[in-house]
Amino acid sequence: MAVDTSISTEEFWLFGYGSLIWKPPPHFDQRIPGYVTGYVRRFWQASQDHRGTPDKPGRVVTLIERSFWETLSDPHPSASSDKVWGTAYRIETAKVAEVKEYLDIREINGYTIHYTDFHPADASPMIKTLVYIGTPDNDQFMGPQDPERLAEHIYRSKGPSGPNKDYLLSLETALDGLSPESGDYHVKDLADRLKKISEATGGVSRGKEALDHELKKVDSTDEQEETEKRIL
Ligand code: BEZ
């Protein structure tokens, strides 16, 4: 008897280390905090259509393979532990085929599809996850940036998904909420610099209320960011 291969019973998980942490994709039925290893998270990906424009691209995060990152000269030191924290989402079984088919043919904004082992924070067994990475060979990969200039750039940039500074501050807050050890020095240092720039220029620094507002917006409207808006 022929086997119907069109229906997959395998679980399908997506790992978010950027906006997906606070803006979940549609069609998920489980959300788990945890980490991947072997990468470094950096604001080294130019964003032309979400947190910037083609003329004035903003900056969003990508993952860099740690072995490659070690060959670069980065003003920010590596994290003390080899963990990049984020969130894994399990896609509803009924939606897996639909989501996979779409994911397999799509390259998003310079990001490409990769698979990596995800470690749940509660030490339950490792999960294979799909992850979007802007690798060093994509046109929007910027490479090492001076932290102060990068914070200024993020402070000034904005795009259709909103101010770039909201992305940075939301990421900092969302990471702090995952686990007592999920903070990321690179993200925190940029956020601290951005808050100082904001204070110095009379801007109001964005706090928890704004993130709560953003979370509510995502819950209640169809606003979605890089991946989820386009693919799911
Ligand atoms: C994320 O992990 O949140 C993400 C990564 C690349 C593109 C969009 C979202």
Side-chain angles (χ1 to χ4, degrees):
M1 196 170 96
V3 177
D4 183 0
T5 52
S6 65
I7 300 168
S8 168
T9 50
E10 262 181 53
E11 292 201 340
F12 181 53
W13 292 79
L14 183 61
F15 173 62
Y17 57 93
S19 59
L20 279 170
I21 301 176
W22 73 95
K23 289 187 171 185
H27 308 315
F28 78 93
D29 58 12
Q30 269 194 59
R31 177 182 190 276
I32 301 181
Y35 59 86
V36 300
T37 60
Y39 296 98
V40 177
R41 171 177 25 221
R42 288 292 182 264
F43 266 84
W44 292 0
Q45 182 76 1
S47 173
Q48 300 186 332
D49 57 357
H50 286 281
R51 298 294 174 161
T53 62
D55 285 350
K56 294 182 177 173
R59 297 286 182 274
V60 289
V61 285
T62 184
L63 294 182
I64 296 111
E65 275 188 28
R66 209 175 173 87
S67 53
F68 175 69
W69 176 84
E70 280 164 359
T71 68
L72 305 173
S73 171
D74 182 352
H76 271 158
S78 69
S80 49
S81 88
D82 182 31
K83 295 177 182 172
V84 174
W85 282 82
T87 310
Y89 296 95
R90 190 176 75 172
I91 304 300
E92 290 166 31
T93 312
K95 299 286 182 183
V96 168
E98 179 189 323
V99 170
K100 268 191 171 174
E101 191 184 310
Y102 205 85
L103 292 175
D104 280 350
I105 54 167
R106 218 43 209 257
E107 192 177 298
I108 303 145
N109 228 355
Y111 290 100
T112 43
I113 288 168
H114 302 259
Y115 292 88
T116 189
D117 294 343
F118 172 85
H119 304 271
D122 67 3
S124 54
M126 184 270 286
I127 299 165
K128 200 58 126 190
T129 56
L130 181 150
V131 60
Y132 287 95
I133 298 179
T135 54
D137 57 357
N138 91 87
D139 287 348
Q140 285 161 242
F141 183 80
M142 305 304 297
Q145 323 257 301
D146 172 74
E148 189 64 18
R149 292 186 61 190
L150 180 52
E152 282 165 5
H153 188 93
I154 292 171
Y155 180 68
R156 282 195 310 269
S157 300
K158 58 180 183 302
S161 295
N164 206 170
K165 66 180 163 74
D166 288 3
Y167 176 102
L168 169 56
L169 297 175
S170 297
L171 180 58
E172 183 198 28
T173 307
L175 283 173
D176 285 344
L178 293 180
S179 136
E181 53 167 312
S182 51
D184 180 321
Y185 176 82
H186 173 74
V187 174
K188 176 153 178 25
D189 180 67
L190 289 174
D192 288 347
R193 288 173 190 271
L194 186 136
K195 286 171 205 166
K196 283 199 187 110
I197 294 165
S198 181
E199 278 158 23
T201 54
V204 180
S205 85
R206 186 172 174 279
K208 188 175 174 308
E209 297 77 21
L211 179 61
D212 288 347
H213 174 69
E214 188 154 320
L215 284 167
K216 275 200 200 95
K217 246 178 16 187
V218 170
D219 280 351
S220 61
T221 74
D222 61 356
E223 185 198 326
Q224 298 288 325
E225 185 111 358
E226 289 86 355
T227 314
E228 54 273 32
K229 186 160 155 187
R230 290 154 168 257
I231 56 163
L232 298 174

